[in-house]
């Protein structure tokens, strides 16, 4: 019986020793990318309207997220696509910043986009189509649309 007990302990110790290994957790090794983080309801555009407000402007928070490792600050630009945008800067929307920055160890940023009311929006819809660019001007993400819709009484 004592031999069986010792044999069982040795077998258990061999099992424990054989199951241990240097399995280190792998860290992210790809390149970090950015994207517009719109909800399923928004998909590729955000519709805004001055219909139910008397405000002279609306601020829309456009979420931008990182995929990957946030071990440094990441700068990016938003640029209005002139070929698809019908909104006029300073008239329908405030100028965009030179760059925006997601801080180290953070994975998202809400970029405030200010849309202005203008009387012509009572009978006209305009579009602001934005591109997400790395700060060094390389295109990161496909076009994203923000629309300012008609104000109706």
């Amino acid at each position: 019986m004592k031999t069986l007990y010792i044999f069982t302990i040795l077998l258990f110790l061999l099992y424990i020793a054989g199951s241990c290994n240097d399995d280190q957790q792998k860290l992210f090794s790809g390149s970090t990318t950015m994207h517009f983080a719109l909800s399923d309801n928004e998909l590729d555009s955000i519709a805004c309207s001055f219909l139910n407000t008397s405000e002279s402007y609306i601020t829309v928070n456009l979420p931008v997220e990182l995929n990957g490792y946030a071990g440094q600050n990441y700068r990016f630009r938003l640029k209005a696509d002139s070929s698809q945008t019908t909104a006029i800067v300073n008239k329908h929307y405030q100028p965009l910043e030179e760059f925006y920055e997601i801080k180290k160890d953070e994975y998202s940023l809400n970029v405030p986009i200010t849309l202005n009311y203008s009387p012509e929006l009572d009978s006209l819809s305009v579009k602001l189509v934005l591109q997400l660019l790395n700060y060094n001007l390389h295109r990161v993400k496909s076009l994203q649309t923000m629309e300012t819709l008609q104000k109706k009484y």
Side-chain angles (χ1 to χ4, degrees), residues 62-106:
L62 183 61
V64 176
E65 287 185 351
L66 286 180
N67 288 335
Y69 180 63
Q72 66 185 38
N73 292 351
Y74 284 92
R75 287 184 176 184
F76 63 93
R77 291 185 60 215
L78 290 178
K79 179 183 173 205
D81 181 354
S82 59
S83 68
Q84 297 186 47
T85 295
T86 58
I88 300 169
V89 69
N90 289 319
K91 184 174 185 179
H92 299 123
Y93 67 98
Q94 292 298 313
L96 302 168
E97 299 291 330
E98 179 184 345
F99 69 89
Y100 302 92
E101 186 171 63
I102 298 177
K103 301 290 185 194
K104 178 180 178 178
D105 297 327
E106 293 182 12

Side-chain angles (χ1 to χ4, degrees), residues 123-135:
S123 60
L124 176 70
S125 292
V126 296
K127 258 195 314 191
L128 173 57
V129 180
L130 298 174
Q131 292 178 325
L132 177 59
L133 306 163
N134 277 332
Y135 187 62

Side-chain angles (χ1 to χ4, degrees), residues 31-121:
S31 62
T32 300
T33 61
M34 292 179 227
H35 67 278
F36 292 113
L38 299 179
S39 69
D40 291 340
N41 296 336
E42 296 163 335
L43 296 178
D44 70 347
S45 65
I46 300 173
C48 300
S49 174
F50 287 96
L51 176 63
N52 296 319
T53 183
S54 60
E55 299 292 327
S56 60
Y57 66 90
I58 296 173
T59 301
V60 177
N61 286 316
L62 183 61
V64 176
E65 287 185 351
L66 286 180
N67 288 335
Y69 180 63
Q72 66 185 38
N73 292 351
Y74 284 92
R75 287 184 176 184
F76 63 93
R77 291 185 60 215
L78 290 178
K79 179 183 173 205
D81 181 354
S82 59
S83 68
Q84 297 186 47
T85 295
T86 58
I88 300 169
V89 69
N90 289 319
K91 184 174 185 179
H92 299 123
Y93 67 98
Q94 292 298 313
L96 302 168
E97 299 291 330
E98 179 184 345
F99 69 89
Y100 302 92
E101 186 171 63
I102 298 177
K103 301 290 185 194
K104 178 180 178 178
D105 297 327
E106 293 182 12
Y107 288 87
S108 64
L109 178 69
N110 282 324
V111 179
I113 306 294
T114 304
L115 306 174
N116 301 325
Y117 171 73
S118 136
E120 70 184 9
L121 294 176

Side-chain angles (χ1 to χ4, degrees), residues 3-40:
T3 309
L4 182 60
Y5 179 71
I6 293 174
F7 180 72
T8 305
I9 290 176
L10 286 174
L11 192 58
F12 179 73
L13 290 175
L14 270 170
Y15 174 75
I16 296 284
S19 63
C20 295
N21 59 20
D22 273 347
D23 187 20
Q24 294 183 359
Q25 186 177 11
K26 295 185 180 191
L27 300 175
F28 180 78
S29 62
S31 62
T32 300
T33 61
M34 292 179 227
H35 67 278
F36 292 113
L38 299 179
S39 69
D40 291 340

